[in-house]
Amino acid sequence: MCFKMCLKMKCFNCFYTKRSDRHSNKMTNSPSKASGEPPVHTLTSQPNLRHDQQSKQDRKETAKTTGSKRGQAEGIPKEDAVVLKEWSFKTSESSITGGKTGQMTARPQPVNAKEPIKSFVSEKGDMMDTDEERSLDKRRESKENSTNRLKRKNTITQEKDSRKSSTTSSKKLTLNRPRRKLKKDLIPNPEVFHKIDTHAINAGRELRIRKIFSVRAITQTITEGASSDLDKLRAIWIWLCHYIEYDVQGFLGFSKMVFSPEKVILTGRAVCSGYSSVCSQMCREAGIECREVSGYSKGVGYQYGQSFRNAKSDHSWNAVCLDGQWHLLDACWGAGSVDTDKKAFIKQYKEFYFLTDPENFIDCHYPEEEEWQLLESPVELEEFEKRVHKSPDFYTLNLTLNHPKHLLIVTENGEATVSMSFPQLVHFTYQISQLSGKKTQELSKSIGFLTSTQQSMKLRIMPPKPGTYELELFAQAGNTPKTYNWICSFQLECPSPKISEELPENPHECWGLQPDATSLGLEPCNYGNEIISVESGSFRLVLKTTRPLMVLCELSHKNLDKTLAKKCLAIQPEPNQLTCSVLCPYYGYYRLSVFVRDWANEADSFENAGNFLLHCTAGAINLNELFPSGLSSNCGPGIKTLEAGLFEFSHTEALVYTQQGKCDITFQNRQDIDLFCKLTKEEGDQPASQTTLSNHVLFTHDGSKVTISINLPESGVYKLGLYGKTSLKPEYPLLCDYILKNTSINKWPPFPRMYGAWKKGSVLFEPRAGQLEASSWVKFCVQVPGARRVSVCGDESVDLQLSENGVWEGKAFTGRGPELHLAASLSEASNNTMSFLMAFSVVEPEHKK
């Protein structure tokens, strides 16, 4: 029977395989490459099929048969029986309600795998069933199968008749039927089977060493100590997945295929029907009702959108009855996958296919007989063909596909969208390839726009030209360094592409804030979920933070080189927010990437926190109006100025605009640190003389209040660096950079040149200009704390008079220059010792020149 079934079934086509080279690359955390585990599929659960009913006579016959088998089992000589007392355990320790709830391991690992089994089976005693026993078992099996098929057919007919009956009676049947448990309710965590799994693996190994290949002996040994049907079934399942491999060589004709359960166990090889047949026989030995189910599958060889209509079934699996409710399992797919390129079986345990919820199972398994869908509302074959191709990881990650519902997507206005939701953080990446006959061409991810949050993702695809495409999605659980695994695939049809510029490459996959940005110290925001339109040539990104962060930014455009890109960014880190000002010198799309680390942990590396897609459609900035080069990552007042004790700035942003060509920046300096400024301006590629521009900045200290006065000599963009001595070291570290944009045509003269004697608290009220007209009288008004005498020294010296309010006042004649000095006596010992405070240039009037 198995032989005939396998000849009819394309067993190899039902097995999950390693995908071809372009699909099998591992998707590491550097998401440019994709890894996919062979396509495997699943869903969630619902109702139960009504148990096949037996007449009293049937029950008696079954009881006799079971009793006869038990008698035979009891008749095995004790010295030939496998008694694993060392592995016996109470099921209370592995019960569902009392089990541990840890993380699911990739495959059960034995606790004491090297410990030998204490008792053994005689090598001659029970290695194989006798011919007589096999013949008797096969006759019984054939009789039972015939009886069961008839009973099932009668039951199905009765159920169909009952559905055709009155609405009242139909409702009664539904209400009276107990709802089938979901897998998550039946098995909260696979760890509850740890002891059972370990015992089955260890016992199976010892049985192979002893060359015990009897179905009965193996079943009795691996299920020893398991009191419930669920525990027994688990032991059978684990044994099948770990000791039977898919017969790739047999299918390909390199070796003889095996079909009978005895030979499957002896060789350790089987096709799908071999797995299901052995599972059925082992369940029978364990007293568990089990059925072999044949049908269609989406395994190796499956083509997206292919039709199964009028095709022969290509796969078989099992249905088991536990506590009166039917469940589904596929040991063939649970054991591993096939690498078609290497023509080899890849042992890769998959927990997903053990008691899979029918709602998930139907995505990739379609039984020939409708009732074995185990669904309240059976799915039509046409719907099965349209369903999205999913892997076990799709369900392991608790993903929900919101859109689309079917695997075929047709673009609308040149775009196609895929969206999902999930309860916990998941990272995504994708691959898109254009199909042309049997050839596929992988395309750049620049035609996609992927956004993701803590609980949802959305992917927009904009194909560059008409045609058919394959879209594959990969995912990994958040906060894990694992590789990305294939989760589902779609076929995309684009009748008419969207005419648009290609998007910039995003090596970080996700647009907008990264889903785990909150763990990096950023608050959620709405930036980046859509393309950001920039119509003025400039954009200001503000991100709220939960703790102080250091930030770096990166701007990318097809026409931008790295040097020019740096002149398009100004970064301002503040205790509760990060600000990045962006200038767009070209039209088109830009990628703005943000990287952060904790402010205090300088040893930490920067991590990508977000990527924002900007589209400049108007107002591109002239290249001569970009930010000054050499800006630090501390533009404007922020964390560094606060740490230095400076606060209450009059200008809180990094950019200062002036239409008059002059401005005053004020702030509080409560810690009274020493300060100085540097003012620079670029002229083409050559920076201006800092000596010259330093005279255009004047410090004034009035108690704790500091005023920085700036007179700009011409229009343009300037950088003002503020430095302060914050420690005993001689260095003056940079506290922040200001960017000054002057649109005035006025050319303001420099301030007087200051000397070291000009101390804090000194204030120049008049004259403020550093250039004085020759042969003219000028009023001086100055405050010099601690001065005993203040004079203006030129062709002639003039002493200023101290007023009642502590200001030195008076008039002086400039003469012909070239300089006029303001000096003061600061020594208590003598009024004759004078120190220069500042110097003024004496120049001829313009009309005399």
PDB file of all heavy atoms in Angstrom, residues 236-261:
ATOM      1  N   ILE A 236       7.167   9.793  20.275  1.00  0.00           N
ATOM      2  CA  ILE A 236       7.162   9.243  18.911  1.00  0.00           C
ATOM      3  C   ILE A 236       7.621  10.301  17.909  1.00  0.00           C
ATOM      4  O   ILE A 236       8.440  10.049  17.026  1.00  0.00           O
ATOM      5  CB  ILE A 236       5.755   8.710  18.553  1.00  0.00           C
ATOM      6  CG1 ILE A 236       5.414   7.489  19.435  1.00  0.00           C
ATOM      7  CG2 ILE A 236       5.650   8.379  17.068  1.00  0.00           C
ATOM      8  CD1 ILE A 236       3.974   7.048  19.343  1.00  0.00           C
ATOM      9  N   TRP A 237       7.081  11.492  18.054  1.00  0.00           N
ATOM     10  CA  TRP A 237       7.415  12.614  17.164  1.00  0.00           C
ATOM     11  C   TRP A 237       8.912  12.936  17.214  1.00  0.00           C
ATOM     12  O   TRP A 237       9.569  13.068  16.186  1.00  0.00           O
ATOM     13  CB  TRP A 237       6.581  13.824  17.559  1.00  0.00           C
ATOM     14  CG  TRP A 237       7.124  15.161  17.141  1.00  0.00           C
ATOM     15  CD1 TRP A 237       7.909  16.002  17.885  1.00  0.00           C
ATOM     16  CD2 TRP A 237       6.923  15.823  15.881  1.00  0.00           C
ATOM     17  NE1 TRP A 237       8.205  17.144  17.186  1.00  0.00           N
ATOM     18  CE2 TRP A 237       7.620  17.062  15.948  1.00  0.00           C
ATOM     19  CE3 TRP A 237       6.247  15.499  14.711  1.00  0.00           C
ATOM     20  CZ2 TRP A 237       7.628  17.962  14.892  1.00  0.00           C
ATOM     21  CZ3 TRP A 237       6.259  16.400  13.667  1.00  0.00           C
ATOM     22  CH2 TRP A 237       6.940  17.602  13.754  1.00  0.00           C
ATOM     23  N   ILE A 238       9.453  13.052  18.413  1.00  0.00           N
ATOM     24  CA  ILE A 238      10.871  13.383  18.571  1.00  0.00           C
ATOM     25  C   ILE A 238      11.749  12.289  17.961  1.00  0.00           C
ATOM     26  O   ILE A 238      12.743  12.569  17.280  1.00  0.00           O
ATOM     27  CB  ILE A 238      11.220  13.605  20.055  1.00  0.00           C
ATOM     28  CG1 ILE A 238      10.601  14.913  20.548  1.00  0.00           C
ATOM     29  CG2 ILE A 238      12.719  13.597  20.292  1.00  0.00           C
ATOM     30  CD1 ILE A 238      11.172  16.156  19.874  1.00  0.00           C
ATOM     31  N   TRP A 239      11.365  11.037  18.186  1.00  0.00           N
ATOM     32  CA  TRP A 239      12.141   9.934  17.619  1.00  0.00           C
ATOM     33  C   TRP A 239      12.145   9.996  16.092  1.00  0.00           C
ATOM     34  O   TRP A 239      13.179   9.843  15.446  1.00  0.00           O
ATOM     35  CB  TRP A 239      11.593   8.598  18.108  1.00  0.00           C
ATOM     36  CG  TRP A 239      12.398   7.434  17.618  1.00  0.00           C
ATOM     37  CD1 TRP A 239      13.484   6.864  18.213  1.00  0.00           C
ATOM     38  CD2 TRP A 239      12.194   6.715  16.392  1.00  0.00           C
ATOM     39  NE1 TRP A 239      13.983   5.844  17.447  1.00  0.00           N
ATOM     40  CE2 TRP A 239      13.212   5.722  16.315  1.00  0.00           C
ATOM     41  CE3 TRP A 239      11.269   6.808  15.361  1.00  0.00           C
ATOM     42  CZ2 TRP A 239      13.299   4.834  15.248  1.00  0.00           C
ATOM     43  CZ3 TRP A 239      11.360   5.932  14.284  1.00  0.00           C
ATOM     44  CH2 TRP A 239      12.371   4.955  14.244  1.00  0.00           C
ATOM     45  N   LEU A 240      10.970  10.228  15.504  1.00  0.00           N
ATOM     46  CA  LEU A 240      10.856  10.304  14.041  1.00  0.00           C
ATOM     47  C   LEU A 240      11.709  11.442  13.480  1.00  0.00           C
ATOM     48  O   LEU A 240      12.418  11.269  12.481  1.00  0.00           O
ATOM     49  CB  LEU A 240       9.391  10.523  13.641  1.00  0.00           C
ATOM     50  CG  LEU A 240       8.474   9.297  13.659  1.00  0.00           C
ATOM     51  CD1 LEU A 240       7.018   9.732  13.545  1.00  0.00           C
ATOM     52  CD2 LEU A 240       8.837   8.355  12.524  1.00  0.00           C
ATOM     53  N   CYS A 241      11.658  12.615  14.123  1.00  0.00           N
ATOM     54  CA  CYS A 241      12.365  13.790  13.610  1.00  0.00           C
ATOM     55  C   CYS A 241      13.881  13.661  13.742  1.00  0.00           C
ATOM     56  O   CYS A 241      14.626  14.305  13.009  1.00  0.00           O
ATOM     57  CB  CYS A 241      11.900  15.063  14.329  1.00  0.00           C
ATOM     58  SG  CYS A 241      10.200  15.536  13.918  1.00  0.00           S
ATOM     59  N   HIS A 242      14.329  12.828  14.689  1.00  0.00           N
ATOM     60  CA  HIS A 242      15.759  12.749  14.946  1.00  0.00           C
ATOM     61  C   HIS A 242      16.424  11.492  14.374  1.00  0.00           C
ATOM     62  O   HIS A 242      17.649  11.473  14.225  1.00  0.00           O
ATOM     63  CB  HIS A 242      16.033  12.833  16.454  1.00  0.00           C
ATOM     64  CG  HIS A 242      15.854  14.213  16.995  1.00  0.00           C
ATOM     65  ND1 HIS A 242      14.611  14.750  17.227  1.00  0.00           N
ATOM     66  CD2 HIS A 242      16.749  15.176  17.328  1.00  0.00           C
ATOM     67  CE1 HIS A 242      14.756  15.989  17.690  1.00  0.00           C
ATOM     68  NE2 HIS A 242      16.040  16.263  17.759  1.00  0.00           N
ATOM     69  N   TYR A 243      15.623  10.468  14.053  1.00  0.00           N
ATOM     70  CA  TYR A 243      16.244   9.228  13.597  1.00  0.00           C
ATOM     71  C   TYR A 243      15.804   8.779  12.212  1.00  0.00           C
ATOM     72  O   TYR A 243      16.216   7.727  11.742  1.00  0.00           O
ATOM     73  CB  TYR A 243      16.019   8.116  14.627  1.00  0.00           C
ATOM     74  CG  TYR A 243      16.814   8.385  15.891  1.00  0.00           C
ATOM     75  CD1 TYR A 243      16.188   8.811  17.050  1.00  0.00           C
ATOM     76  CD2 TYR A 243      18.197   8.252  15.888  1.00  0.00           C
ATOM     77  CE1 TYR A 243      16.916   9.097  18.199  1.00  0.00           C
ATOM     78  CE2 TYR A 243      18.939   8.537  17.023  1.00  0.00           C
ATOM     79  CZ  TYR A 243      18.297   8.961  18.176  1.00  0.00           C
ATOM     80  OH  TYR A 243      19.027   9.253  19.291  1.00  0.00           O
ATOM     81  N   ILE A 244      14.959   9.564  11.549  1.00  0.00           N
ATOM     82  CA  ILE A 244      14.593   9.269  10.167  1.00  0.00           C
ATOM     83  C   ILE A 244      14.941  10.494   9.326  1.00  0.00           C
ATOM     84  O   ILE A 244      14.540  11.611   9.654  1.00  0.00           O
ATOM     85  CB  ILE A 244      13.084   8.937  10.019  1.00  0.00           C
ATOM     86  CG1 ILE A 244      12.687   7.806  10.961  1.00  0.00           C
ATOM     87  CG2 ILE A 244      12.775   8.583   8.563  1.00  0.00           C
ATOM     88  CD1 ILE A 244      13.384   6.489  10.682  1.00  0.00           C
ATOM     89  N   GLU A 245      15.695  10.272   8.245  1.00  0.00           N
ATOM     90  CA  GLU A 245      16.068  11.354   7.352  1.00  0.00           C
ATOM     91  C   GLU A 245      15.347  11.201   6.016  1.00  0.00           C
ATOM     92  O   GLU A 245      15.002  10.082   5.609  1.00  0.00           O
ATOM     93  CB  GLU A 245      17.584  11.354   7.110  1.00  0.00           C
ATOM     94  CG  GLU A 245      18.403  11.630   8.360  1.00  0.00           C
ATOM     95  CD  GLU A 245      19.875  11.749   8.051  1.00  0.00           C
ATOM     96  OE1 GLU A 245      20.254  11.557   6.862  1.00  0.00           O
ATOM     97  OE2 GLU A 245      20.652  12.047   8.982  1.00  0.00           O
ATOM     98  N   TYR A 246      15.136  12.319   5.361  1.00  0.00           N
ATOM     99  CA  TYR A 246      14.461  12.255   4.073  1.00  0.00           C
ATOM    100  C   TYR A 246      15.354  11.536   3.057  1.00  0.00           C
ATOM    101  O   TYR A 246      16.561  11.796   2.957  1.00  0.00           O
ATOM    102  CB  TYR A 246      14.113  13.651   3.564  1.00  0.00           C
ATOM    103  CG  TYR A 246      13.174  13.601   2.382  1.00  0.00           C
ATOM    104  CD1 TYR A 246      11.816  13.395   2.576  1.00  0.00           C
ATOM    105  CD2 TYR A 246      13.653  13.732   1.080  1.00  0.00           C
ATOM    106  CE1 TYR A 246      10.950  13.328   1.501  1.00  0.00           C
ATOM    107  CE2 TYR A 246      12.790  13.669  -0.001  1.00  0.00           C
ATOM    108  CZ  TYR A 246      11.442  13.461   0.212  1.00  0.00           C
ATOM    109  OH  TYR A 246      10.579  13.386  -0.863  1.00  0.00           O
ATOM    110  N   ASP A 247      14.746  10.645   2.292  1.00  0.00           N
ATOM    111  CA  ASP A 247      15.488   9.791   1.355  1.00  0.00           C
ATOM    112  C   ASP A 247      15.700  10.530   0.029  1.00  0.00           C
ATOM    113  O   ASP A 247      15.071  10.226  -0.991  1.00  0.00           O
ATOM    114  CB  ASP A 247      14.711   8.485   1.138  1.00  0.00           C
ATOM    115  CG  ASP A 247      15.514   7.462   0.345  1.00  0.00           C
ATOM    116  OD1 ASP A 247      16.714   7.722   0.101  1.00  0.00           O
ATOM    117  OD2 ASP A 247      14.953   6.417  -0.020  1.00  0.00           O
ATOM    118  N   VAL A 248      16.597  11.503   0.039  1.00  0.00           N
ATOM    119  CA  VAL A 248      16.873  12.279  -1.173  1.00  0.00           C
ATOM    120  C   VAL A 248      17.495  11.406  -2.251  1.00  0.00           C
ATOM    121  O   VAL A 248      17.098  11.436  -3.419  1.00  0.00           O
ATOM    122  CB  VAL A 248      17.809  13.458  -0.841  1.00  0.00           C
ATOM    123  CG1 VAL A 248      18.084  14.284  -2.096  1.00  0.00           C
ATOM    124  CG2 VAL A 248      17.216  14.332   0.253  1.00  0.00           C
ATOM    125  N   GLN A 249      18.478  10.599  -1.854  1.00  0.00           N
ATOM    126  CA  GLN A 249      19.176   9.752  -2.834  1.00  0.00           C
ATOM    127  C   GLN A 249      18.229   8.737  -3.465  1.00  0.00           C
ATOM    128  O   GLN A 249      18.293   8.476  -4.663  1.00  0.00           O
ATOM    129  CB  GLN A 249      20.347   9.027  -2.154  1.00  0.00           C
ATOM    130  CG  GLN A 249      21.399   9.958  -1.562  1.00  0.00           C
ATOM    131  CD  GLN A 249      22.025  10.850  -2.611  1.00  0.00           C
ATOM    132  OE1 GLN A 249      22.477  10.382  -3.654  1.00  0.00           O
ATOM    133  NE2 GLN A 249      22.027  12.150  -2.342  1.00  0.00           N
ATOM    134  N   GLY A 250      17.333   8.205  -2.661  1.00  0.00           N
ATOM    135  CA  GLY A 250      16.363   7.248  -3.193  1.00  0.00           C
ATOM    136  C   GLY A 250      15.427   7.889  -4.187  1.00  0.00           C
ATOM    137  O   GLY A 250      15.118   7.320  -5.242  1.00  0.00           O
ATOM    138  N   PHE A 251      14.954   9.075  -3.853  1.00  0.00           N
ATOM    139  CA  PHE A 251      14.040   9.753  -4.758  1.00  0.00           C
ATOM    140  C   PHE A 251      14.721  10.081  -6.088  1.00  0.00           C
ATOM    141  O   PHE A 251      14.123   9.968  -7.159  1.00  0.00           O
ATOM    142  CB  PHE A 251      13.519  11.037  -4.122  1.00  0.00           C
ATOM    143  CG  PHE A 251      12.636  11.828  -5.037  1.00  0.00           C
ATOM    144  CD1 PHE A 251      11.301  11.509  -5.184  1.00  0.00           C
ATOM    145  CD2 PHE A 251      13.152  12.872  -5.803  1.00  0.00           C
ATOM    146  CE1 PHE A 251      10.493  12.219  -6.053  1.00  0.00           C
ATOM    147  CE2 PHE A 251      12.359  13.571  -6.677  1.00  0.00           C
ATOM    148  CZ  PHE A 251      11.023  13.249  -6.798  1.00  0.00           C
ATOM    149  N   LEU A 252      15.987  10.492  -6.021  1.00  0.00           N
ATOM    150  CA  LEU A 252      16.712  10.869  -7.230  1.00  0.00           C
ATOM    151  C   LEU A 252      17.174   9.654  -8.032  1.00  0.00           C
ATOM    152  O   LEU A 252      17.744   9.787  -9.115  1.00  0.00           O
ATOM    153  CB  LEU A 252      17.916  11.742  -6.876  1.00  0.00           C
ATOM    154  CG  LEU A 252      17.583  13.105  -6.256  1.00  0.00           C
ATOM    155  CD1 LEU A 252      18.857  13.828  -5.842  1.00  0.00           C
ATOM    156  CD2 LEU A 252      16.777  13.961  -7.228  1.00  0.00           C
ATOM    157  N   GLY A 253      16.948   8.448  -7.501  1.00  0.00           N
ATOM    158  CA  GLY A 253      17.307   7.240  -8.224  1.00  0.00           C
ATOM    159  C   GLY A 253      18.726   6.776  -7.979  1.00  0.00           C
ATOM    160  O   GLY A 253      19.197   5.837  -8.636  1.00  0.00           O
ATOM    161  N   PHE A 254      19.423   7.395  -7.045  1.00  0.00           N
ATOM    162  CA  PHE A 254      20.793   6.975  -6.755  1.00  0.00           C
ATOM    163  C   PHE A 254      20.833   5.748  -5.850  1.00  0.00           C
ATOM    164  O   PHE A 254      21.871   5.122  -5.693  1.00  0.00           O
ATOM    165  CB  PHE A 254      21.565   8.125  -6.093  1.00  0.00           C
ATOM    166  CG  PHE A 254      21.661   9.342  -6.970  1.00  0.00           C
ATOM    167  CD1 PHE A 254      21.509  10.615  -6.438  1.00  0.00           C
ATOM    168  CD2 PHE A 254      21.905   9.219  -8.333  1.00  0.00           C
ATOM    169  CE1 PHE A 254      21.601  11.736  -7.240  1.00  0.00           C
ATOM    170  CE2 PHE A 254      22.003  10.346  -9.141  1.00  0.00           C
ATOM    171  CZ  PHE A 254      21.837  11.605  -8.598  1.00  0.00           C
ATOM    172  N   SER A 255      19.710   5.463  -5.222  1.00  0.00           N
ATOM    173  CA  SER A 255      19.600   4.264  -4.382  1.00  0.00           C
ATOM    174  C   SER A 255      18.150   3.809  -4.409  1.00  0.00           C
ATOM    175  O   SER A 255      17.270   4.541  -4.863  1.00  0.00           O
ATOM    176  CB  SER A 255      20.053   4.558  -2.948  1.00  0.00           C
ATOM    177  OG  SER A 255      19.195   5.509  -2.346  1.00  0.00           O
ATOM    178  N   LYS A 256      17.921   2.614  -3.913  1.00  0.00           N
ATOM    179  CA  LYS A 256      16.568   2.064  -3.916  1.00  0.00           C
ATOM    180  C   LYS A 256      15.743   2.717  -2.822  1.00  0.00           C
ATOM    181  O   LYS A 256      16.154   2.796  -1.665  1.00  0.00           O
ATOM    182  CB  LYS A 256      16.622   0.551  -3.696  1.00  0.00           C
ATOM    183  CG  LYS A 256      15.269  -0.126  -3.795  1.00  0.00           C
ATOM    184  CD  LYS A 256      15.400  -1.634  -3.620  1.00  0.00           C
ATOM    185  CE  LYS A 256      14.038  -2.309  -3.704  1.00  0.00           C
ATOM    186  NZ  LYS A 256      14.154  -3.776  -3.508  1.00  0.00           N
ATOM    187  N   MET A 257      14.541   3.183  -3.199  1.00  0.00           N
ATOM    188  CA  MET A 257      13.664   3.802  -2.207  1.00  0.00           C
ATOM    189  C   MET A 257      13.068   2.730  -1.304  1.00  0.00           C
ATOM    190  O   MET A 257      12.787   1.619  -1.753  1.00  0.00           O
ATOM    191  CB  MET A 257      12.539   4.581  -2.888  1.00  0.00           C
ATOM    192  CG  MET A 257      12.935   5.977  -3.314  1.00  0.00           C
ATOM    193  SD  MET A 257      11.511   7.066  -3.583  1.00  0.00           S
ATOM    194  CE  MET A 257      10.711   6.268  -4.949  1.00  0.00           C
ATOM    195  N   VAL A 258      12.889   3.115  -0.037  1.00  0.00           N
ATOM    196  CA  VAL A 258      12.265   2.198   0.921  1.00  0.00           C
ATOM    197  C   VAL A 258      10.897   2.739   1.291  1.00  0.00           C
ATOM    198  O   VAL A 258      10.702   3.949   1.387  1.00  0.00           O
ATOM    199  CB  VAL A 258      13.141   2.025   2.171  1.00  0.00           C
ATOM    200  CG1 VAL A 258      14.436   1.328   1.816  1.00  0.00           C
ATOM    201  CG2 VAL A 258      13.436   3.357   2.827  1.00  0.00           C
ATOM    202  N   PHE A 259       9.953   1.800   1.519  1.00  0.00           N
ATOM    203  CA  PHE A 259       8.585   2.221   1.792  1.00  0.00           C
ATOM    204  C   PHE A 259       8.031   1.609   3.076  1.00  0.00           C
ATOM    205  O   PHE A 259       7.316   2.277   3.815  1.00  0.00           O
ATOM    206  CB  PHE A 259       7.671   1.837   0.616  1.00  0.00           C
ATOM    207  CG  PHE A 259       8.077   2.473  -0.681  1.00  0.00           C
ATOM    208  CD1 PHE A 259       8.780   1.764  -1.635  1.00  0.00           C
ATOM    209  CD2 PHE A 259       7.755   3.787  -0.944  1.00  0.00           C
ATOM    210  CE1 PHE A 259       9.151   2.351  -2.833  1.00  0.00           C
ATOM    211  CE2 PHE A 259       8.121   4.390  -2.141  1.00  0.00           C
ATOM    212  CZ  PHE A 259       8.819   3.671  -3.091  1.00  0.00           C
ATOM    213  N   SER A 260       8.332   0.349   3.329  1.00  0.00           N
ATOM    214  CA  SER A 260       7.732  -0.310   4.489  1.00  0.00           C
ATOM    215  C   SER A 260       8.288   0.275   5.769  1.00  0.00           C
ATOM    216  O   SER A 260       9.454   0.688   5.839  1.00  0.00           O
ATOM    217  CB  SER A 260       8.027  -1.815   4.446  1.00  0.00           C
ATOM    218  OG  SER A 260       9.402  -2.057   4.669  1.00  0.00           O
ATOM    219  N   PRO A 261       7.470   0.340   6.825  1.00  0.00           N
ATOM    220  CA  PRO A 261       7.938   0.877   8.112  1.00  0.00           C
ATOM    221  C   PRO A 261       9.184   0.172   8.624  1.00  0.00           C
ATOM    222  O   PRO A 261      10.073   0.814   9.179  1.00  0.00           O
ATOM    223  CB  PRO A 261       6.735   0.646   9.029  1.00  0.00           C
ATOM    224  CG  PRO A 261       5.558   0.642   8.115  1.00  0.00           C
ATOM    225  CD  PRO A 261       6.029  -0.002   6.860  1.00  0.00           C
TER     226      PRO A 261
END
